[in-house]
């Protein structure tokens, strides 16, 4: 029975990812979750008390997976510049992943304070990974630089998601160049 509940919960989270990546938070409704999973709407409420609860669980499950992918890419890179490059490139490579699209949709939405706090904490963990490399590169305020760098990554990710005129590789190259050299150099 517990295994069945775990499978149902997993199916609901997977359906939530799809709904979020296809239509943003407006698409994440209990009737839509019920329809996607074949469950009765009342059954959805047995697993989650609200949309915010679904969002919080997705953050708890998906952010660590995403962060681990970025961290692994950084660990495989040599030197602080290599780590910065890996931090930027791996996040941009993950843009097409449904987990990423769902997280972006969540981040852009109106959420209750608990869900917002979970997202902030998860983003904080991602940003914390790069602080050390930025300190090694000589940044006087590596934490501030890390937050601004994440802003560059987020802007680049939005460009990739929108299917901008530039190729994803050109967007990634430019984001890496900005991360490592500011706006004074070309990629």
């Amino acid at each position: 029975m517990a295994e069945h509940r775990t499978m149902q919960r997993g199916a609901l989270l997977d359906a939530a990812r799809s709904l979020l990546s296809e239509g943003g938070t407006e698409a994440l409704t209990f009737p839509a979750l019920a329809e996607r999973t074949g469950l009765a709407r009342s059954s959805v409420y047995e697993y989650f008390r609200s949309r915010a609860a679904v969002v919080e669980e997705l953050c708890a499950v998906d952010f660590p997976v995403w962060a681990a992918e970025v961290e692994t890419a950084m660990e495989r890179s040599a030197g602080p510049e290599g780590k910065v490059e890996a931090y930027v490139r791996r996040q941009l490579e993950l843009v097409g992943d449904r987990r990423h699209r769902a997280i972006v949709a969540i981040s852009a939405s109106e959420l209750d304070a608990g869900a917002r706090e979970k997202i902030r904490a998860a983003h904080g963990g991602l940003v914390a990974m790069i602080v050390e490399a930025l300190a090694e590169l000589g940044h006087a305020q590596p934490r501030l630089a890390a937050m601004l760098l994440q802003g560059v990554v987020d802007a680049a990710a939005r460009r990739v998601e929108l299917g901008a005129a530039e190729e994803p590789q050109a967007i990634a190259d430019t984001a890496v160049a900005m991360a490592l050299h500011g706006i004074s150099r070309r990629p």
Side-chain angles (χ1 to χ4, degrees):
M1 184 67 179
E3 186 177 322
H4 178 72
R5 283 191 65 79
T6 302
M7 285 176 56
Q8 294 285 39
R9 192 175 201 86
L12 284 164
L13 289 175
D14 204 42
R17 280 182 201 103
S18 293
L19 290 165
L20 285 163
S21 65
E22 292 163 14
T25 50
E26 300 78 33
L28 179 61
T29 64
F30 277 33
L33 283 171
E35 185 181 326
R36 288 278 172 114
T37 57
L39 293 170
R41 194 183 315 181
S42 59
S43 296
V44 176
Y45 283 98
E46 290 176 29
Y47 292 91
F48 298 103
R49 67 188 182 287
S50 65
R51 282 183 354 144
V54 177
V55 165
E56 286 184 35
E57 181 133 352
L58 275 177
C59 289
V61 170
D62 289 353
F63 257 123
V65 172
W66 186 25
E69 294 235 5
V70 174
E71 190 170 27
T72 298
M74 289 173 65
E75 286 169 357
R76 292 182 179 148
S77 301
E81 285 192 352
K83 290 186 185 323
V84 169
E85 181 167 354
Y87 178 84
V88 173
R89 287 193 190 280
R90 188 65 189 128
Q91 285 189 68
L92 295 178
E93 288 164 4
L94 292 170
V95 165
D97 185 275
R98 274 186 325 138
R99 279 191 169 94
H100 178 271
R101 287 200 308 266
I103 287 169
V104 167
I106 291 166
S107 298
S109 70
E110 295 294 319
L111 298 170
D112 68 32
R116 271 199 316 273
E117 188 48 45
K118 279 206 169 52
I119 290 171
R120 257 198 301 280
H123 261 292
L126 195 61
V127 168
M129 283 193 262
I130 200 65
V131 171
E132 186 179 334
L134 293 170
E136 284 181 52
L137 287 172
H139 279 279
Q141 296 186 49
R143 178 116 183 103
L144 174 59
M147 288 186 275
L148 295 174
L149 171 58
Q150 187 59 46
V152 169
V153 173
D154 293 344
R158 278 192 299 279
R159 270 206 86 69
V160 171
E161 283 164 357
L162 291 171
E166 308 87 8
E167 288 295 316
Q169 183 67 43
I171 294 169
D173 291 346
T174 302
V176 167
M178 285 190 75
L180 293 174
H181 311 294
I183 59 170
S184 62
R185 289 197 192 163
R186 295 176 190 200

